[in-house]
């Protein structure tokens, strides 16, 4: 039976590393199939192993859904395995701390009202009582803030330790660390992905979830304060009076929608820019590590023997991506800082008409303005967390890319070979596996 002709340059005989040869031998054992690409390993016995390139598909980068799904498949083991009881106990303590902090914040909000009402009346005795009342509230607020940091960072530490052990075991087990370098895909500098991206991918979800729970509970609580303290606003025009119930609530919702829309519009490219920046950093580290390990001239791609020029180009790309990220964050800072300065002023201005008409006391104005800031900050969880969401997505994707590359090694033979090379790239793979022998 005549075999199909090989693509130009597809046949190569190599002396490869033992681990790489075992991978190829397992994936494409000697058979009677027509030869398309021959790979031989010195010291592993005489024989030509064939890979049918017609079975090979070009490498396709996984989409966002697959990446996040693969990350969560591994990372969620912390919440489901033997460590689950400790993880959920920490979550329970975290939620309890959030409720106690909210209660303290609620009491401090009313303390503002009583203190400034006493100040408006020039009542020295009432001011002294409120000053004494402030001490336990301040102590509780400080203690709960410290407890919140402890439980949050303990949860992050436990999750990172669990995921780190899982990733190191998966990477170093069964010789995968040696075989990984010959797999296609995004898996450069696996040690950095595990150490740094694994840290970010477990730290930020805890921060984001804690912030989300706190924001939802805070918004629900202080919207009630705004509704009860602010009441309705009567607007008279040409003898016609319009009553706006809960005008402070309506105002804070509208203001929050505008600020959130502005942040999301300006930061719509942040995830892509941050992912490209991390990818460029990883490429620079990978080239630097190869130059250090193998020496200049063997670590660079074919045709690019100048190591300085190669790493210089990688550094230029890193600086370029960093500049783009800088401009993106500067624009987002413009919106967030403007919002930070305007929010308390807007709250005071909205209360001013009722204060001047005698419908609100000074204490109620201060209380309502403080509640306005609190509610707006709670609604601002999305824009405030946008950069963190982008950073977490980028790091989780990088960990997931490593996991998917390691999955290829454990896959069935055809899948392993399909992901090992794209059609017509057999020479390049042979060169990676060892030294190409002359004909």
């Amino acid at each position: 039976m005549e075999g199909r002709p090989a693509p130009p340059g597809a046949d190569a005989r190599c002396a490869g590393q033992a681990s790489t040869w075992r991978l190829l031998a397992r994936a494409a054992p000697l058979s009677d199939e027509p030869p398309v690409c021959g790979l031989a390993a010195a010291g592993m016995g005489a024989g030509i192993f064939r890979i049918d390139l017609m079975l090979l598909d070009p490498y396709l980068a996984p989409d966002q859904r697959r990446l996040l799904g693969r990350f969560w498949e591994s990372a969620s083991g912390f919440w489901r395995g033997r460590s689950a009881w400790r993880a959920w106990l920490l979550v329970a303590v975290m939620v309890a701390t959030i409720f106690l902090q909210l209660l303290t914040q609620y009491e401090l909000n009313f303390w503002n009202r009583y203190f400034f009402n006493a100040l408006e009346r020039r009542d020295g005795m009432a001011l002294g009582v409120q000053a004494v009342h402030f001490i336990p509230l301040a102590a509780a607020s400080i203690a709960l803030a410290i407890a919140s940091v402890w439980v949050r960072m303990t949860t992050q530490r436990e999750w990172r330790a669990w995921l780190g052990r899982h990733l190191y075991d998966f990477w170093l087990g069964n010789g995968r660390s040696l075989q990984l370098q010959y797999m296609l895909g995004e898996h450069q500098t696996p040690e950095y992905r595990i150490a740094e991206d694994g840290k970010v991918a477990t730290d930020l979800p805890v921060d984001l979830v804690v912030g989300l729970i706190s924001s939802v509970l805070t918004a629900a609580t202080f919207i009630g304060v705004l509704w009860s303290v602010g009441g309705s606003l009567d607007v008279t025009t040409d003898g016609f009076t319009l009553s706006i119930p809960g005008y402070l609530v309506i105002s804070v919702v509208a203001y929050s929608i505008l600020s959130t829309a502005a942040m999301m519009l300006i930061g719509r490219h942040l995830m892509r820019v941050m992912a490209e920046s991390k990818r460029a950093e990883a490429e620079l580290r990978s080239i630097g590590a190869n130059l250090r390990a193998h020496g200049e001239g063997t670590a660079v791609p074919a045709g690019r023997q100048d190591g300085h020029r190669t790493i210089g180009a990688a550094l230029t790309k890193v600086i370029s991506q960093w500049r783009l990220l800088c401009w993106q964050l500067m624009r987002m800072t413009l919106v967030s800082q403007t919002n930070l300065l305007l929010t308390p002023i807007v709250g005071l201005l909205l209360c001013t008409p009722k204060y001047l008409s005698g419908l609100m006391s000074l204490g109620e104005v201060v209380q309502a303005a403080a509640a306005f800031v609190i509610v707006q900050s709670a609604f601002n969880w999305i824009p405030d967390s946008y950069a963190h969401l982008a950073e977490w997505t980028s790091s989780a994707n990088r960990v997931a890319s490593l996991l998917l590359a390691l999955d290829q090694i454990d896959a069935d033979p055809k899948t392993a070979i399909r992901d090992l090379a794209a059609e017509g790239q057999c020479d390049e793979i042979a060169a990676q596996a060892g030294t190409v022998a002359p004909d």
Side-chain angles (χ1 to χ4, degrees):
M1 178 177 64
E2 291 190 5
R4 292 184 294 270
D11 195 69
R13 290 177 295 277
C14 319
Q17 296 181 6
S19 60
T20 306
W21 182 246
R22 293 189 187 98
L23 171 64
L24 294 173
R26 187 186 71 210
L30 184 63
S31 68
D32 295 330
E33 290 296 316
V36 175
C37 176
L39 297 175
M44 296 299 296
I48 302 298
F49 287 72
R50 281 89 175 177
I51 302 175
D52 190 345
L53 289 177
M54 296 303 177
L55 297 176
L56 303 181
D57 297 327
Y59 172 78
L60 296 176
D63 58 19
Q64 185 69 54
R65 184 176 179 180
R66 186 185 177 196
L67 287 170
L68 294 182
R70 183 62 186 89
F71 170 77
W72 184 245
E73 180 184 342
S74 289
S76 62
F78 173 69
W79 306 97
R80 294 182 285 105
R82 289 179 297 177
S83 60
W85 70 270
R86 179 175 174 82
W88 289 107
L89 177 61
L90 288 170
V91 169
V93 174
M94 205 180 307
V95 172
T97 304
I98 292 173
F99 272 104
L100 291 174
Q101 284 182 303
L102 179 60
L103 177 61
T104 305
Q105 193 175 29
Y106 183 81
E107 291 294 329
L108 283 170
N109 183 258
F110 273 88
W111 179 88
N112 281 326
R113 176 177 177 172
Y114 302 143
F115 181 84
F116 282 96
N117 278 341
L119 186 65
E120 186 180 32
R121 298 192 308 267
R122 295 178 172 83
D123 188 341
M125 184 175 294
L127 286 173
V129 171
Q130 293 305 316
V132 173
H133 189 205
F134 177 76
I135 295 174
L137 290 176
S141 179
I142 294 171
L144 288 170
I146 295 172
S148 177
V149 171
W150 176 84
V151 69
R152 176 174 51 81
M153 295 194 69
T154 300
T155 305
Q156 292 169 332
R157 185 184 70 243
E158 294 286 339
W159 193 7
R160 183 192 178 190
W162 184 94
L163 182 62
R165 285 191 293 267
H166 172 76
L167 292 175
Y168 281 123
D169 289 345
F170 192 28
W171 174 44
L172 299 175
N174 297 329
R176 296 186 190 92
S177 60
L178 299 177
Q179 300 175 35
L180 181 63
Q181 58 187 314
Y182 303 107
M183 308 303 291
L184 295 182
E186 289 286 336
H187 53 73
Q188 298 89 347
T189 58
E191 68 284 355
Y192 182 87
R193 291 172 186 257
I194 297 174
E196 185 61 28
D197 290 309
K199 174 181 179 297
V200 174
T202 51
D203 281 1
L204 289 184
V206 177
D207 290 338
L208 292 170
V209 170
V210 169
L212 178 61
I213 295 174
S214 179
S215 296
V216 171
L217 294 175
T218 299
T221 301
F222 284 93
I223 279 177
V225 173
L226 284 178
W227 189 279
S228 63
V229 175
S232 60
L233 179 66
D234 295 330
V235 180
T236 303
T237 305
D238 296 332
F240 177 76
T241 302
L242 175 65
S243 180
I244 306 175
Y247 80 103
L248 288 178
V249 175
I250 296 173
S251 299
V252 74
V253 170
Y255 182 82
S256 299
I257 290 174
L258 288 176
S259 61
T260 300
M263 181 65 79
M264 295 186 70
L265 177 64
I266 290 177
R268 64 188 183 278
H269 299 305
L270 180 62
M271 289 189 182
R272 177 182 58 80
V273 172
M274 191 166 287
E276 290 295 330
S277 179
K278 282 183 173 286
R279 187 175 294 112
E281 294 276 6
E283 183 178 350
L284 177 64
R285 286 190 298 270
S286 178
I287 293 174
N290 284 334
L291 286 173
R292 183 187 69 246
H294 302 295
E296 196 173 296
T298 59
V300 296
R304 294 289 301 277
Q305 298 300 317
D306 186 355
H308 290 89
R309 185 170 56 185
T310 302
I311 201 167
L315 178 60
T316 300
K317 184 177 180 181
V318 166
I319 300 303
S320 176
Q321 290 297 329
W322 187 259
R323 186 181 298 112
L324 292 175
L325 180 61
C326 177
W327 280 108
Q328 187 71 51
L329 293 177
M330 286 171 61
R331 290 193 291 269
M332 294 178 65
T333 302
L334 172 64
V335 176
S336 62
Q337 193 66 21
T338 301
N339 180 57
L340 181 66
L341 293 173
L342 286 182
T343 301
I345 304 301
V346 171
L348 288 172
L349 290 177
L350 288 170
C351 296
T352 299
K354 297 194 71 173
Y355 175 73
L356 294 178
S357 62
L359 297 177
M360 290 182 72
S361 66
L362 178 61
E364 289 174 328
V365 169
V366 174
Q367 181 188 16
F372 187 93
V373 173
I374 292 171
V375 173
Q376 202 278 327
S377 298
F379 281 147
N380 254 21
W381 178 84
I382 293 179
D384 289 346
S385 303
Y386 205 78
H388 293 312
L389 284 168
E391 185 179 5
W392 174 80
T393 301
S394 177
S395 291
N397 286 348
R398 286 173 50 76
V399 174
S401 297
L402 173 61
L403 288 168
L404 289 173
L406 293 170
D407 288 342
Q408 296 176 36
I409 299 174
D410 293 338
D412 61 87
K414 288 185 179 180
T415 302
I417 285 297
R418 182 175 64 248
D419 290 333
L420 183 65
E423 183 173 354
Q425 293 178 335
C426 210
D427 282 339
E428 180 180 346
I429 299 162
Q432 289 178 342
T435 305
V436 178
D439 290 335

